[in-house]
Amino acid sequence: MSHQISAASIQFNLTLGDVDANLAKALAGLQQAKAAGAHLAVLPEMWSSGYDYRRLADLAERTPEVIEQLCAFSARSGMVLVGSLPEKEGDALYNSATVIDGGAVVGRYRKLHLFSTMGEDRFLTAGDQSLVVDTSVARIGVAICYDLRFPELFRKMALEGAEVICLPAEWPKPRQEHWRTLLRARAIENQLFVVAANCCGLQGKLDFFGMSLLISARGEVLAEGGETDVVLTATFDRAEKEEYRSQIRCFYDRRPEIYGTLP
């Protein structure tokens, strides 16, 4: 693998319940990321539909078709793609992120932590396992939105060898500073790269601030979005990450016998 990882975050204003419009926006953003030389791209949370709870089961029926379109794009472009979509299995609905590489789904992560404040747990079923997966670009860990508030998940992924955390989100105002602070903290404390894709604009009563971020293993913000549609790109340096880890040896100095063991 190359020492350089070229990544992109695709930020856009979702149209609630309009799969075709959202798919067109996503593919246009991915094409822009490809033209900029990105090898890895992350889309927002539930980007094909938004949280259209009343119709979510029907909208989830379109997800296999949407994934086929992403697989076709991945095959043509050689890019690794990550994004969250509604997934239906039997009577259960999940918020699922797929990792697509070489034109095929190589990993699927179902959101572990459902945001009860907004009623996610009344409409969706929580996943029951984390995901770290090898891809042609890097070893990737995946989290979704509210997962960001649970640092133990990120440490688990780091211990399992994740180099990049991909985080799709629909994180609304007024919690911008929580978003930015927590994303930087997850990068700093685990000494890995973070690609976070948030949506922007209004969806019903919710106002999304965008502010998608690409963050280095030192916690430096390499690219940051505003409140409108944007494709952000940055390059991560593996050698710099390893040098940082050798200088500040957080993993070597851990004391799991005191505060608990993680696999």
Side-chain angles (χ1 to χ4, degrees), residues 153-199:
L153 172 60
F154 291 78
R155 177 50 55 93
K156 180 179 188 289
M157 291 190 286
L159 291 173
E160 291 173 350
E163 298 177 88
V164 183
I165 298 295
C166 298
L167 190 135
E170 284 199 37
W171 197 291
K173 295 178 181 179
R175 297 183 289 276
Q176 295 96 311
E177 286 309 308
H178 289 192
W179 162 260
R180 199 174 194 274
T181 299
L182 291 171
L183 284 168
R184 292 192 65 213
R186 298 296 88 86
I188 292 167
E189 67 200 5
N190 294 298
Q191 299 174 318
L192 43 65
F193 309 120
V194 172
V195 184
N198 197 21
C199 61

Side-chain angles (χ1 to χ4, degrees), residues 109-187:
Y109 166 73
R110 290 169 170 171
K111 189 176 183 180
L112 287 173
H113 304 98
L114 300 180
F115 192 35
S116 58
T117 303
M118 298 296 291
E120 282 185 19
D121 56 327
R122 294 191 291 115
F123 296 93
L124 298 168
T125 300
D128 58 11
Q129 57 186 342
S130 59
L131 176 69
V132 175
V133 62
D134 287 316
T135 72
S136 58
V137 171
R139 188 161 170 79
I140 288 173
V142 181
I144 300 174
C145 201
Y146 186 47
D147 287 331
L148 184 57
R149 294 187 182 272
F150 299 86
E152 54 270 45
L153 172 60
F154 291 78
R155 177 50 55 93
K156 180 179 188 289
M157 291 190 286
L159 291 173
E160 291 173 350
E163 298 177 88
V164 183
I165 298 295
C166 298
L167 190 135
E170 284 199 37
W171 197 291
K173 295 178 181 179
R175 297 183 289 276
Q176 295 96 311
E177 286 309 308
H178 289 192
W179 162 260
R180 199 174 194 274
T181 299
L182 291 171
L183 284 168
R184 292 192 65 213
R186 298 296 88 86

Side-chain angles (χ1 to χ4, degrees), residues 90-113:
D91 293 330
L93 281 172
Y94 298 93
N95 181 345
S96 296
T98 53
V99 181
I100 297 171
D101 188 11
V105 175
V106 297
R108 179 175 281 107
Y109 166 73
R110 290 169 170 171
K111 189 176 183 180
L112 287 173
H113 304 98

Side-chain angles (χ1 to χ4, degrees), residues 159 251-262:
L159 291 173
F251 290 95
Y252 178 82
D253 293 331
R254 290 176 67 243
R255 297 288 305 280
E257 73 278 10
I258 303 299
Y259 42 74
T261 301
L262 288 171

